[in-house]
Amino acid sequence: MLRSELIARLAEEYSHLRHDDLEKIVAVILDEIAEALAEGNRVELRGFGAFSVRERSPRIGRNPRTGEKVEVKAKRVPFFRPGKELRARVNGGDDPEAR
C-alpha cells in the first residue's frame, strides 16, 4: 500500500475530514516514528508491532559487478518486529509462533 492509497482509504472511512488534513495527519505520524528511530528510541504500536534500530558492524563486502572487495562501514538500520495480533491476522487467524 502506498501512502496515497492509505490517505484515500482514510478519506473514505472518515469523510468528515478534509483530504489535506488527512495528508498532514499521516505525515505527522510517520515523521514522529522516523524521528524517534533517528534518536535511537523504540516505537511500539500495540497489536501492530514495534520499530527499533539495530546496529550493523563494519564488514568487508563484495562488489557484485567486479568482485572487488569493498569496506562497508558500521551503520544503524531500522527494524520492524510484527506484533502477535498482526502475525495472526496475516496468517488467517493462526499465530505461527503460538505455543
Side-chain angles (χ1 to χ4, degrees), residues 82-97:
K84 183 178 178 180
E85 293 173 28
L86 178 60
R87 281 194 314 268
R89 197 168 186 180
V90 167
N91 289 295
D94 299 326
D95 182 5
E97 293 186 18

Side-chain angles (χ1 to χ4, degrees), residues 57-73:
S57 302
R59 61 184 176 86
I60 301 296
R62 187 181 64 83
N63 181 332
R65 183 173 292 171
T66 64
E68 179 183 346
K69 291 185 179 182
V70 180
E71 184 178 325
V72 179
K73 296 179 182 178

